[in-house]
Amino acid sequence: MVFRVFRPEAVSVWKNEEIFKRFSKYRGILDGKLLARYLVAKSVKCDFNLSDPVEKLESLLKEKSLEFNKLLNKDSNNLKNRVVQEINYITLAETIAIKYLQACMFCERQCKANRMSGEKGFCLISKDSYVSSAFLHMGEEPLLIPSGTIFFQGCNFGCVFCQNYDISQAWKGKKKIEDVAQKVNTLQLASITEKLVDKGAINVNYVGGDPIPNIHTIVGSLKFQKSNICQLWNSNFFLTDKSLSLIIDFMDFWLPDFKYGNNECGKKYSGIDNYFDVVARNHKRIHDEGSGEICIRHLVMPNHIECCTKPILDYVAKELPKAVMNIMGQYRPQYKAFNYEEINRSPTSEEMHEVKMYAQKLGIVFEPLS
Ligand code: SF4
């Protein structure tokens, strides 16, 4: 048992029974009663060859996922005594990730770039990962701070209103990536996470840009991480189903965006095909098959209540009943948003009121985190 003093802003949120129930596993890790999932995964032995075809490894991954999930249901004290295996479930996922890099399909853009040989797809990240900054973030939701946040350079989206455009978009074609971020391998990334833990982080928060182009480095770093700390995926969530399989069992907490309630707005403002179909599918999967501990961030956009916000709230109420939402009103036109009249302002207080009334009527839990 770890005696942890929570920050004042978190204390009142933890007193909310619904939050405590919905995030009980995250709280169990914070209190030292439960093991982070990646530590359990290291005890799942795998037997394979690097030269095995990817289809064979994918089928082994499915088997190991079942074995891992059976283990998780066991008494947590038994889990603490399990031995780390040299070749384990994490090694297997990393091996598959590296194979996927030869024709990249980490996200649904499916560029098929051979990143292993130096080609780049839309995100402009080759096989190497780059961290633009890593620090204790105090601006996340109260339950998550201080959050050991690692910002990866590069993004698979092209949002016209991007609020992190310096690390996701603006450098493209203008600067060398080496000039704006630090190259990291799996060992160096693990070392960054451990330093954040030493400074007082209560979770490791992978964000960007977006973490998706860096799945191979993040999964690989888990081999070297040692702390019993919550692993948190903070992303636009436009992964392929196959790449979600590489991380679904290792993440304890999910912090996905849910931006658009239809495919058309995703195409118009982020240059993405099939936005809603893909992101809704992935939310459903982490809700039903992953840890299920999810805080969905929805940034309310002006003039997009009927086409985006309400369909998202309807979907969450119907399909993701265990999720908690952070309904955010801080949208400001940034980057290229000034070119789109309908989103060239903040949402009004009337729009925010309408959204919150609608969410309340649907029974969505959002107030403690919004
Ligand atoms: S991660 Fe990058 S290279 Fe890979 S499919 Fe997505 S945008 Fe393309």
Side-chain angles (χ1 to χ4, degrees), residues 176-321:
K176 281 194 200 154
I177 194 165
E178 292 81 3
D179 296 340
V180 289
Q182 177 202 347
K183 185 161 114 177
V184 292
N185 60 27
T186 52
L187 189 57
Q188 289 162 329
L189 182 58
S191 162
I192 290 172
T193 67
E194 294 294 345
K195 280 183 191 144
L196 289 168
V197 175
D198 289 345
K199 286 183 185 163
I202 62 171
N203 48 65
V204 180
N205 179 346
Y206 303 103
V207 67
D210 205 277
I212 294 172
N214 304 289
I215 286 176
H216 56 305
T217 312
I218 294 169
V219 171
S221 82
L222 297 176
K223 289 181 312 194
F224 302 110
Q225 292 189 46
K226 293 194 170 69
S227 299
N228 186 24
I229 188 150
C230 164
Q231 300 284 325
L232 187 157
W233 194 260
N234 181 349
S235 163
N236 61 38
F237 236 54
F238 198 65
L239 306 86
T240 55
D241 198 45
K242 284 187 172 191
S243 50
L244 182 52
S245 296
L246 302 177
I247 58 167
I248 192 164
D249 286 335
F250 308 150
M251 293 295 137
D252 303 287
F253 198 97
W254 303 91
L255 199 53
D257 288 341
F258 211 151
K259 293 183 199 294
Y260 310 112
N262 62 80
N263 292 339
E264 292 70 31
C265 290
K267 182 73 179 169
K268 182 173 182 186
Y269 301 117
S270 293
I272 287 289
D273 291 324
N274 306 318
Y275 175 87
F276 184 84
D277 300 343
V278 169
V279 172
R281 175 196 77 198
N282 288 341
H283 277 78
K284 181 78 182 141
R285 201 168 158 213
I286 54 164
H287 180 273
D288 294 356
E289 297 170 36
S291 74
E293 303 210 340
I294 312 167
C295 172
I296 298 170
R297 285 174 167 173
H298 173 62
L299 185 65
V300 177
M301 289 173 65
N303 293 310
H304 284 262
I305 310 302
E306 295 302 326
C307 59
C308 289
T309 300
K310 286 184 179 175
I312 288 171
L313 295 177
D314 288 338
Y315 184 82
V316 171
K318 186 161 176 264
E319 302 291 344
L320 313 170

Side-chain angles (χ1 to χ4, degrees), residues 4-31 141-146 202-203 230 253 293 324 368-369:
R4 191 179 288 282
V5 179
F6 289 104
R7 296 182 60 82
E9 53 271 57
V11 171
S12 63
V13 180
W14 278 122
K15 281 185 184 158
N16 182 302
E17 275 179 32
E18 206 50 49
I19 292 287
F20 201 92
K21 191 171 84 188
R22 290 176 187 226
F23 296 154
S24 62
K25 288 176 264 181
Y26 172 52
R27 179 62 191 254
I29 298 169
L30 291 178
D31 291 340
E141 286 77 357
L143 300 183
L144 304 177
I145 58 174
I202 62 171
N203 48 65
C230 164
F253 198 97
E293 303 210 340
V324 177
L369 297 186

Side-chain angles (χ1 to χ4, degrees), residues 26-53:
Y26 172 52
R27 179 62 191 254
I29 298 169
L30 291 178
D31 291 340
K33 291 180 183 163
L34 291 180
L35 278 185
R37 295 162 72 97
Y38 86 95
L39 292 174
V40 180
K42 287 190 196 205
S43 73
V44 176
K45 188 175 180 184
C46 289
D47 191 12
F48 64 92
N49 294 315
L50 291 179
S51 57
D52 284 342

Side-chain angles (χ1 to χ4, degrees), residues 322-340:
K322 292 188 286 186
V324 177
M325 287 192 80
N326 179 359
I327 300 176
M328 304 188 295
Q330 59 261 54
Y331 172 86
R332 307 275 177 278
Q334 299 243 24
Y335 192 38
K336 296 178 180 168
F338 306 100
N339 299 326
Y340 298 79

Side-chain angles (χ1 to χ4, degrees), residues 104-113 115 120-125 155-156 212-214:
C104 187
M105 37 67 74
F106 278 172
C107 81
E108 286 286 5
R109 280 195 186 269
Q110 303 223 30
C111 302
K112 306 285 184 207
R115 293 174 55 192
K120 294 171 186 167
F122 179 88
C123 61
L124 289 191
I125 305 296
C155 186
N156 52 335
I212 294 172
N214 304 289

